[in-house]
Amino acid sequence: KTMPKKFLNPVEEGKLSGDMRELYDRILPTKDSDERRARFVQKLERILNQQWPGNDIKVHVFGSSGNMLCTNDSDVDICITTPLKILERVCLLANALADHGMERVVCVQHAKVPIVKFWDPELQLACDMNVNNTLALENTRMIKTYVEIDERVRPLAMIVKQWTKRRILNDAALGGTLSSYTWICLILNFLQTRNPPVLPSLHKKPHELRAGSDGRRAGFNDDLERFRGFGKPNTETLGELLFNFFRRYAYDLDYEKWVISVRDGRLISKEGKKWHLMQNNRLCVEEPFNTNRNLGNTADDTSFRGIHLEIRRAFDLVKEAKLANCLEQYEFPA
Ligand code: GTP
Ligand code: MG
């Protein structure tokens, strides 16, 4: 068996980095998209507080609209917080939203986290909304902090996300692949384990964790000013990082042995965590805020094999600096 290519030559590197820059500029959300998202939040706050006055309903954005990794066509993930417990029965919310002109309103009451899905025809936005499920606000803030530490994180993550969408590798619920959140954890851990690292582990050194604005201790160190520029000693370019990202997950990582841990900023032993006994444990990705959860368990053996083959395909194209081919839309076999 031949060893996978270790380096890009300078010509390939220049082409790949240049193409990545160009793609990144194209998929960055426009000012108009940002503005519609901001107006959408205000609009929802108005509608909901008008419908249930005096209940202090707040509208929070999470997911990609809050972590700087969205494109123009990303949905808006919304968490509303309110002491009015009855709204946790999301079908009530669904009715109110339909009354205010929202379309394609669907309430999913019996999910792990009940949500309402809908489309705003005025602002042209799709939305997933939950009530009082504030955990996702924290992981959104964590991702945003990582994105702001080093300027290479945003383009790299947006391009990898784009690739997962084109290759249909990002539907944990329907396709048995991985959520955007899981993919982002794979990217963050890759950047934490470069030598020298591009990112620190914000969950480490708990004695240094600061109290949040509400006096609660955050689960991770969110002192952005302290970490900004952390990755400076690492001089890899975007092209080199994309090449090495795919190389790591295509060939270098021993999936039998390791759990990917953003919390620890390294790989940890599967056996040590007793995860070698779990179901759907080919790909092990520790949930940074709940270390008992394996985010990779949405993929069974067959699905994992498919994902792994796709990563190898991506590596084989990126190593020839063929970014456009790498991102070609997957065509289902006839
Ligand atoms: P796109 O919508 O694909 O642009 O990315 P996204 O980051 O918004 O992902 P998605 O809409 O799938 O999920 C929204 C947010 O929900 C994520 O950013 C996480 O904060 C949270 N989330 C999604 N899946 C999980 C999960 O399995 N575990 C946890 N703890 N949070 C999740
Ligand atoms: Mg989203």
Side-chain angles (χ1 to χ4, degrees):
K1 217 166 132 199
T2 54
M3 279 283 287
K5 182 164 163 174
K6 265 216 143 67
F7 302 100
L8 292 166
N9 71 41
V11 176
E12 292 161 341
E13 188 286 311
K15 174 166 188 297
L16 185 56
S17 294
D19 288 352
M20 287 175 74
R21 268 289 150 218
E22 202 173 288
L23 173 62
Y24 174 60
D25 289 340
R26 256 193 301 122
I27 61 180
L28 264 180
T30 55
K31 194 158 156 269
D32 172 68
S33 163
D34 286 342
E35 283 169 4
R36 278 185 290 115
R37 280 163 214 274
R39 278 175 53 202
F40 183 63
V41 171
Q42 294 167 1
K43 177 177 170 180
L44 287 174
E45 215 148 66
R46 187 169 41 73
I47 291 175
L48 297 172
N49 283 293
Q50 210 174 313
Q51 185 85 23
W52 291 281
N55 286 293
D56 192 27
I57 300 173
K58 294 208 174 67
V59 175
H60 312 266
V61 176
F62 69 101
S64 61
S65 301
N67 66 24
M68 301 176 69
L69 300 179
C70 76
T71 55
N72 283 339
D73 53 14
S74 295
D75 65 352
V76 190
D77 300 288
I78 295 278
C79 166
I80 71 168
T81 54
T82 172
L84 186 63
K85 290 284 171 207
I86 191 161
L87 287 187
E88 291 175 15
R89 275 211 253 130
V90 291
C91 295
L92 221 66
L93 261 182
N95 290 332
L97 291 163
D99 288 345
H100 283 85
M102 301 303 168
E103 294 177 354
R104 300 182 344 224
V105 184
V106 178
C107 67
V108 188
Q109 180 65 60
H110 299 285
K112 203 168 36 170
V113 177
I115 57 167
V116 187
K117 298 170 90 66
F118 60 93
W119 168 255
D120 181 341
E122 181 208 357
L123 295 171
Q124 297 276 302
L125 289 168
C127 176
D128 279 3
M129 177 185 281
N130 74 57
V131 182
N132 291 336
N133 179 45
T134 50
L135 187 73
L137 302 181
E138 279 294 283
N139 66 41
T140 297
R141 218 162 51 81
M142 175 195 77
I143 293 167
K144 182 164 186 280
T145 307
Y146 277 122
V147 168
E148 290 183 296
I149 286 174
D150 189 281
E151 51 188 30
R152 291 166 289 186
V153 183
R154 193 178 187 200
L156 181 71
M158 284 185 65
I159 287 168
V160 171
K161 266 184 72 176
Q162 191 76 2
W163 166 76
T164 67
K165 295 200 171 174
R166 296 281 180 86
R167 303 305 297 174
I168 329 213
L169 303 172
N170 135 305
D171 201 328
L174 289 175
T177 55
L178 307 175
S179 69
S180 292
Y181 182 55
T182 309
W183 282 111
I184 292 166
C185 287
L186 295 186
I187 299 162
L188 296 178
N189 186 258
F190 160 74
L191 294 170
Q192 290 173 323
T193 53
R194 297 309 291 158
N195 185 17
V198 175
L199 290 176
S201 159
L202 295 176
H203 272 90
K204 266 193 182 158
K205 303 179 186 161
H207 56 284
E208 291 179 17
L209 294 184
R210 305 185 310 161
S213 52
D214 54 359
R216 252 177 349 113
R217 272 172 158 247
F220 62 95
N221 195 322
D222 60 356
D223 186 357
L224 174 61
E225 288 323 312
R226 190 185 136 187
F227 292 109
R228 210 195 278 278
F230 174 94
K232 281 273 156 58
N234 179 306
T235 58
E236 287 174 286
T237 62
L238 278 182
E240 287 168 324
L241 289 174
L242 188 67
F243 169 88
N244 282 306
F245 171 80
F246 285 129
R247 185 173 194 273
R248 180 195 208 211
Y249 291 111
Y251 295 104
D252 295 349
L253 178 62
D254 183 350
Y255 291 92
E256 288 297 306
K257 224 168 132 187
W258 299 111
V259 176
I260 293 150
S261 172
V262 170
R263 188 186 178 93
D264 281 358
R266 61 189 176 96
L267 299 172
I268 57 188
S269 150
K270 225 187 238 196
E271 227 170 279
K273 264 186 94 81
K274 302 243 180 339
W275 278 16
H276 61 301
L277 306 168
M278 278 204 318
Q279 254 215 329
N280 291 347
N281 68 348
R282 295 295 304 278
L283 171 64
C284 288
V285 186
E286 189 183 71
E287 208 304 292
F289 293 85
N290 173 4
T291 55
N292 293 323
R293 253 206 80 203
N294 176 16
L295 293 172
N297 74 1
T298 53
D300 60 18
D301 280 15
T302 311
S303 176
F304 171 79
R305 218 169 299 128
I307 294 168
H308 197 195
L309 284 173
E310 275 291 333
I311 297 173
R312 290 191 168 177
R313 172 193 171 274
F315 177 73
D316 288 337
L317 292 165
V318 156
K319 77 178 200 285
E320 314 280 334
K322 294 178 175 158
L323 184 65
N325 296 304
C326 175
L327 287 164
E328 255 164 39
Q329 180 75 50
Y330 176 80
E331 300 287 353
F332 285 98

